[in-house]
Structures are given as C-alpha cells and as structure tokens.
Amino acid sequence: MRKLIWNNIARRRGQALLTIAITALTVFAFVLVLGIFLTMSQGLAQSKERLGADAVVLPRLADTSAYELLFTAQPENIYMAESVLEQVRCIPGVQQASPQFYSQTLGGDCCSVGGNMRIVGFDPDTDFILKPYFSAQAYDTLGDDQVVFGGSTSELMGTSITILDEQFDIVGTLYPTGTGMDNTIFMNIDKARQITGDSEYADFPEDLDPFEVVSVIMVRLEEGADPVEFRDAINLDYQIPAKCLLVGSTISALQNQLGSTVKVLFALWIASLLVAVLALLGRFNALAKDRKKEVGLMRAIGIQRSQVFASIVGEAEVMALIGGAVGTAAALPCMAPVLGAIQEAFNLPPSLQDVQTIALCGAAGVALALLLGAVASFYPAYKCASMDPQTAIAQGELN
Amino acid sequence: MEICRLEHIRKTYDTGETVEPLSDVSLSVNSGDFIAIEGPSGMGKSTLLFVMGTLLSYDGGTLSICGQDVAALGEKEKTNLRSKTIGYMFQDATLIQALSVYDNLLFAQTVGGRLPADPARIQELVERMGLPERRDFFPHQLSGGQRRRVMAARALIHNPKLVLVDEPTNDLNEEWSQEVVAMLNDAAHAGAGVVMVTHNNDHSQSASKRYRLERGVLEAMA
Ligand SMILES: Nc1ncnc2c1ncn2[C@@H]1O[C@H](COP(=O)(O)OP(=O)(O)O)[C@@H](O)[C@H]1O
Ligand SMILES: [Mg+2]
C-alpha cells in the first residue's frame, strides 16, 4: 500500500509538484508571519516583565521618551535632586523605589569588551531591577572595586577590566534582556558618582554635585495600586521636580502597534489560505476522479472502504508533508532578516529569537500542512471510498 | 460442492426509464464447473457477473456464496468474501496504473491478507501468459492484449473458489484466446467454479455447461 501511494505520486510528478508548491507557499507565508509575530510579541512581553518596574521617575525637564530610556543604551545625562527619592517613597502605593545614576558611556576602546558600554550606578540594597536576572553572582555586598556586567556571557566572570584607569573585578553577569541593560556596566551608585566627579566628564553639569543627584528612580507599585494615580501624584505635584512614565503603557502602545500590523498580515494570509484550500480541494477531487475505476477494481479484489479512504488521504498527506517541510524550511531562515527589517522600520527594540519559538513555528508549519492536506482530501476520499464498486468500474474513465 | 447459487435473481436499473436485464435468473455453480454464458451484447451478461461478484445489489431472489446468504452480509463482510473467494476479470481493462505487472499481481495475491507473497506462483502465471519480459512494465506500456493477459493472471493468482470472467478473449488473437480459455479450464479442473461470459461461441465449446442469457432469463444450451 505504501508503494502504491508513493508510485501514484511519482507517476503524476507534474501534478504532485503543483500540489506540493501550493502547500509550500501557504505554509511559507504562515510560518513567516507566525514567527515574526511570536518573536516580537514575546520580546515585548519579556521587556515588560523583565523591566520589573511599573514606573520610571525622571527629571521633569528631561527630554527623553520612555521608549529610549527603556530600550536603548543612549547616554541620558539627566539628573534630579536625590530628595525626589524620599518624596516618591512617601506616595501611597509605592512598594519599592530604587535610584540609578547614569554616568558616562564608554566607547569601544575603553575596555576589553568592545562596543559602547554605559556605566550605571545602582543601589544594591533597594535594587529590584537587576536582581532577577543574574546569570552569575559572586558577591554578598558589592565592593567599590567590583562591577556587574549586563547581557554578557558568564565567561567574563572573575576577569577584571579597567575603566578610566581604575581596575574593577567582574563579580556578576546578567542574562540578556533585549533592553539597554544589555550594554550596561553596573556599579555601586556612589562609586559611579565618584568616577563622574573625578573625570572631566564633559556632559556632567558643572554646577551639580554628583553625590546630591540621581538620574532615574525605578518604582515598583504595590499589588492593586493604580499606576495612573501614582503617575498623577508626581506629574501634578509641582513640588516634585520630576515626572513619571509608566512602563506598562509604553510597552502596551508598542504591542498595539505590532498587533494591528500583524492583523493586516494575517488577514492577507487568510485570503491566500482560502485560495490554497480551494485549489487543493480541486486537485484532490481531480485525483479521486482519475482514480475511480482503479478504486472500483480495488474494492472488487477485496480492499475495504476504509483502506481506500486511507490511501487517498495518505497520498494527499505525503504531498502536504513534503510541501509543508519545504515551506517551513524556506521560511525559518527568512525570519531573522524580515524581523530585522520590520523592527528597523517601526523603530522597535530588537528581540532575541529563541530556539523554542523557531521549533514551535516549524512544528506549526508542518501541522498546518497536514491539516491542509486532510481538509482538502477528506471529502474527495470519502466520496471515492463510498462509491459502489460496480458504479466506480462502469463510470471511471480509462487512463 | 456448491460454490454459488442464484435463485430467481432480478435486477433492474432505474435511470429515468427502467431497464431489467435480469428478470428471473437461477444458476448453481459447483466446484469443477466451467460455465459459459453467451448472449448478444446489452443483454445483461456483465450485470449478472457483477451481481454474482457481490459488486452490485439485486432487487429480488436469493444469492448465496459458499452457503452464505449475500443479502445478510455487511459491506465489510462482502469485501472480505470477495478478497478470499472470488477472482474477477472485468470486461474493461483495469489494472492499477501505478504498479508494474509484477506488483499488480503481488498486490492482488496479498491484498487483505489473502495469501502470503509467493513470487514463484506469480512467475508461473507470468510465464504462462507470455509476459516474462514485461513483468516490470507499467500498464500504460503494454498492448491491449498484454493487459488482458495480466488480468487473466490476476483473476487466478490467489486460487479463488469462484472465478468470474467477462469477455476474457477481447483484444486477444486466436492463439492467446485459446491459452486463456485453457488456463480457466485448468482452474476448474483444480476445483474452482468458473463462470465465463462471452459473445464468441467458439470459445465456449470447451465449457462444461453452456447457458444463454436472453430477455432476462438464463437458459441451458444443449
Ligand atoms: N449502471 C447502469 N445504469 C443503467 N443501465 C445500465 C447500467 N449498466 C448497464 N445498464 C444497462 O443494462 C443492460 C445490460 O448491460 P450489460 O450487463 O453491460 O450487458 P452485456 O454485458 O450483456 O453487454 C444494457 O441495456 C445497459 O444499457
Ligand atoms: Mg458486457
């Protein structure tokens, strides 16, 4: 029976290729759209979750979008009085508030790692941003000659780097997050302030004392606290020289933008899916008709209806499987470049493609192909199998 | 031993106007019988074979095969019965297009668990039908006569108890016609009940019983 199915396909190679091509194209488009959607929405959801903060408080006059702040490693030379920290902590609903101090960004030549690295001072006692993302951590209390490296491999653990003529030991590394954290060297906030004060860091305002300011305050709200209320408490209180950006709404806006793009792509794909189903239905119908006389013969020599059904569906599924495999195999390597282009066009944060997503897309592609084959072949196969043998023999065209 | 028994079988086709090729047909086929059924074309000979082969329902009378009442059998049981007991040769050339001569015979030999594969038996029939050089050819690469000979081999490949052949000598020259008829005769001698439909009375000479189908009734000939 397996030989019969295979020979039937091979015998009508041209027709089989057409069927395979229809399936492959449909699956290709599907896997591509699905992969892009999954990767991007995953990236955004991860950012939301990984950022850990519900709100970011920054200087009222800072000319910075939340988007830049959250996703890029641009140096943001923004500073506000440290007293804001106490004011924020007094607002009801605040669970944790942790300051960060943005020092300079080091060029690629600064240290052994290459690429631009931002130096950020954080407060290990109140920090909740870095905490969940340590891939390695070899300290209890972060010393002033120790740093934590964001988004790098744990191979760097234990090595030391020189930053502005000072030697630092790398005692912690973080998992990549797809955000600005990945290009950041974290150190004690006071150490970062000292470095900034000591060096002739041009961008730091001369009239400020680094030890009296912070750049941003990351805020986590209590369960059930209304983020909008919190934001208004800061933004509407002119005693506080700061403003508040909500992380959730920033990312939600991006998610919405992505959602509508994907909806359009998906609608187009559904249209092409319908065309493909109709085309395949036509093809399998013709296949079943062609085979009428043969089916009559097979029934006469003792093949059960169920076996006739299985052989026709089997033939369809073999072609669908080949088409699905080809389509999926073609789509997977196309995903990364298309993703990159879309993210660039929409100015979205780069997202990391993980193996699981790729495997999921591959499996979904093959499953779709099998489903297509089944949907398009069930009815013709059923019709063929339930034919009266004599009718099949008498009606079937010789070929 | 009685293999197949028809009692007062009636068959009508209803396609707008009603045709009744079989009005009252009774026949008993026993082991060792080589029965020839003659008659002008359009009389219902093929219809009779389809009915006997459980491939076509009938409208009246009783049909039993190997003592089983066919009317009482479900589709699955009828399929099993066909697989185990009956060998067909249809009037139209029908071979499985996707399989070679050898594979067509192998398929028919082993289908539905009929018999274990027996290449020697296939080879024997291929040689008897003069096709050893054609055994790996596909049906579309054969002449009409060659296809007919493959069909004859296929009808006998599983040593069926009941052999139903419809115009087996179509497309065949005199020499091969005689060979096919001789092979059917051998099957009858080996214990099968063979029913052959033909419009050529020369070929029915070698049959053990001869009937004529006319106006829906089967009549024995001298
Ligand atoms: N499926 C069918 N539907 C309607 N009429 C049919 C069908 N098959 C055969 N007939 C009619 O039944 C009669 C007998 O046909 P058939 O058994 O093929 O005759 P024979 O084999 O003796 O030439 C013919 O008149 C034919 O037109
Ligand atoms: Mg006929």
Side-chain angles (χ1 to χ4, degrees), chain B residues 11-145:
Chain B
K11 171 68 192 172
T12 56
Y13 289 115
D14 200 354
T15 48
E17 99 190 75
T18 306
V19 186
E20 189 174 87
L22 310 177
S23 319
D24 183 359
V25 173
S26 298
L27 178 69
S28 168
V29 184
N30 294 299
S31 173
D33 278 351
F34 184 10
I35 294 173
I37 296 175
E38 296 169 31
S41 106
M43 274 300 142
K45 304 185 296 298
S46 297
T47 301
L48 176 60
L49 284 193
F50 278 126
V51 168
M52 290 174 78
T54 75
L55 295 169
L56 190 59
S57 59
Y58 45 94
D59 302 303
T62 328
L63 168 66
S64 54
I65 293 174
C66 295
Q68 278 184 293
D69 183 1
V70 170
L73 300 179
E75 190 57 44
K76 213 168 182 168
E77 293 157 311
K78 277 199 274 187
T79 307
N80 282 333
L81 179 73
R82 294 199 284 267
S83 162
K84 297 277 174 335
T85 357
I86 307 178
Y88 297 92
M89 197 173 160
F90 297 108
Q91 185 170 358
D92 289 337
T94 43
L95 292 169
I96 298 175
Q97 300 291 315
L99 297 179
S100 68
V101 168
Y102 182 87
D103 285 336
N104 259 285
L105 294 177
L106 181 66
F107 188 81
Q109 187 177 43
T110 55
V111 71
R114 268 180 173 175
L115 290 174
D118 180 1
R121 168 81 174 140
I122 298 176
Q123 189 60 26
E124 176 197 322
L125 284 169
V126 163
E127 272 167 24
R128 175 137 197 209
M129 289 291 96
L131 298 163
E133 272 102 60
R134 297 284 178 272
R135 47 167 266 172
D136 295 324
F137 279 46
F138 285 86
H140 68 273
Q141 297 164 323
L142 301 177
S143 74

Side-chain angles (χ1 to χ4, degrees), chain A residues 153-286:
Chain A
T153 58
S154 42
E155 283 160 36
L156 288 171
M157 277 296 286
T159 61
S160 54
I161 55 163
T162 309
I163 300 170
L164 302 167
D165 298 331
E166 266 192 74
Q167 184 98 349
F168 291 88
D169 291 329
I170 298 175
V171 294
T173 53
L174 304 178
Y175 289 111
T177 60
T179 69
M181 270 166 79
D182 295 353
N183 306 316
T184 303
I185 298 170
F186 292 96
M187 60 177 69
N188 278 326
I189 189 163
D190 281 343
K191 186 64 188 175
R193 285 163 162 164
Q194 183 217 316
I195 286 184
T196 303
D198 290 353
S199 71
E200 286 113 48
Y201 174 30
D203 285 344
F204 191 77
E206 265 173 40
D207 53 334
L208 287 184
D209 176 355
F211 286 90
E212 284 171 4
V213 296
V214 296
S215 294
V216 295
I217 300 167
M218 300 295 185
V219 178
R220 179 190 274 165
L221 297 175
E222 278 165 5
E223 194 76 33
D226 181 5
V228 176
E229 240 167 62
F230 172 78
R231 184 188 63 193
D232 291 347
I234 293 178
N235 287 1
L236 302 180
D237 182 349
Y238 287 90
Q239 308 283 16
I240 305 175
K243 63 180 175 186
C244 171
L245 299 172
L246 295 180
V247 172
S249 54
T250 304
I251 292 179
S252 296
L254 287 173
Q255 278 172 329
N256 286 346
Q257 200 180 350
L258 171 67
S260 36
T261 312
V262 167
K263 257 180 229 156
V264 172
L265 286 177
F266 207 70
L268 290 175
W269 177 76
I270 290 282
S272 79
L273 177 72
L274 285 181
V275 173
V277 167
L278 289 179
L280 288 178
L281 202 61
R283 302 210 53 72
F284 292 137
N285 225 337

Side-chain angles (χ1 to χ4, degrees), chain A residues 1 81 95 140 145 177 248 329:
Chain A
M1 194 63 115
Q95 188 189 68
D140 285 328
D145 56 350
T177 60

Side-chain angles (χ1 to χ4, degrees), chain A residues 83-97:
Chain A
S83 57
V84 175
L85 184 56
E86 273 322 302
Q87 292 174 301
V88 167
R89 283 185 177 145
C90 288
I91 297 173
V94 173
Q95 188 189 68
Q96 187 79 284

